[in-house]
Amino acid sequence: MMLINPYNVAPSIPSNAVLYLEFNGTDGQTTFTDSTGRHTPTGASANTKISTTQSIQGGSSLWLSTNNQYVRARASGSSSNDFIYTGDFSISCWVYQTGGLSGGHVFSTGLTNTGDGMCLVVFGTTIRLVTSTFATILEVADTYVNNAWKKLEVRRVSGVIYILKNDVVLGSVANTNTLGNGNMYVGGNNAFASEMLGYVDNFLVTKG
């Protein structure tokens, strides 16, 4: 059963948004649009595509049906610092997992095993925010189930990082480190490992 925002109206784009992937389009579409106009996202393979099977808003979402799939937003030029976080930021999206429950990457920035990145990883009973060497920044308990929409968010405000599910804070930790680097990977990481399986909608990144 498809779940759609009953108003079917896209939320307004915040003035401090640096990436907004609404994943609107036709079934099977393999091109993606950043509604902020700052990036030109690309899929990891021809199987990374839009699906009209599930959606929160707009009638479609990103469909990740197997490993070796993600959508990448490249950091370059005037947007080269979009995914480096020295102060307040928020990264949020709606996810509908169909598999990959153990270690599924919702998003990641930076290069795996270099220590300069940041990943949100969903396990069976926890949600973890980790560095790209998998050192834990924040881990929260959560009973996570497949085949249901939920909103996940990582937010830092005034030196405190929060993990939220459905706009409810699950945990927090003091952190003023510089986080993130390089490109943004939605639904996986650059090493093609532990990708999330399922659907992603309304992926939004803000800074400041």
Side-chain angles (χ1 to χ4, degrees), residues 7-205:
Y7 302 101
N8 203 28
V9 175
S12 58
I13 302 174
S15 59
N16 61 343
V18 296
L19 179 68
Y20 185 31
L21 304 175
E22 299 180 80
F23 295 119
N24 293 338
T26 59
D27 198 52
Q29 179 179 313
T30 57
T31 57
F32 310 96
T33 300
D34 173 16
S35 296
T36 72
R38 298 178 62 84
H39 301 274
T40 304
T42 57
S45 73
N47 290 321
T48 309
K49 61 185 67 175
I50 297 292
S51 170
T52 57
T53 301
Q54 293 288 341
S55 175
I56 280 293
Q57 169 271 317
S60 61
S61 61
L62 172 66
W63 167 226
L64 303 167
S65 60
T66 185
N67 283 333
N68 301 344
Q69 294 183 13
Y70 55 68
V71 168
R72 175 178 59 192
R74 294 179 181 272
S76 62
S78 61
S79 63
S80 60
N81 292 323
D82 281 358
F83 309 128
I84 299 175
Y85 310 103
T86 58
D88 293 357
F89 70 89
S90 169
I91 304 171
S92 65
C93 63
W94 287 86
V95 297
Y96 183 107
Q97 274 191 268
T98 57
L101 192 59
S102 180
H105 282 62
V106 178
F107 70 80
S108 63
T109 70
L111 300 176
T112 299
N113 295 325
T114 63
D116 64 356
M118 173 175 60
C119 312
L120 185 66
V121 187
V122 173
F123 289 84
T125 57
T126 63
I127 301 173
R128 302 178 192 173
L129 183 67
V130 300
T131 70
S132 54
T133 54
F134 302 103
T136 298
I137 300 170
L138 175 61
E139 179 176 339
V140 297
D142 180 59
T143 302
Y144 202 90
V145 296
N146 285 332
N147 303 314
W149 281 107
K150 67 279 295 181
K151 182 182 179 182
L152 298 180
E153 180 181 3
V154 175
R155 179 191 305 170
R156 179 161 66 185
V157 179
S158 300
V160 179
I161 289 179
Y162 303 87
I163 291 178
L164 301 88
K165 187 177 83 169
N166 297 332
D167 296 322
V168 176
V169 173
L170 300 182
S172 63
V173 65
N175 184 293
T176 57
N177 296 338
T178 297
L179 299 172
N181 197 3
N183 305 323
M184 175 66 74
Y185 300 85
V186 180
N189 62 40
N190 73 293
F192 294 106
S194 301
E195 285 91 344
M196 193 195 83
L197 302 181
Y199 303 88
V200 180
D201 212 353
N202 286 8
F203 188 92
L204 175 65
V205 180

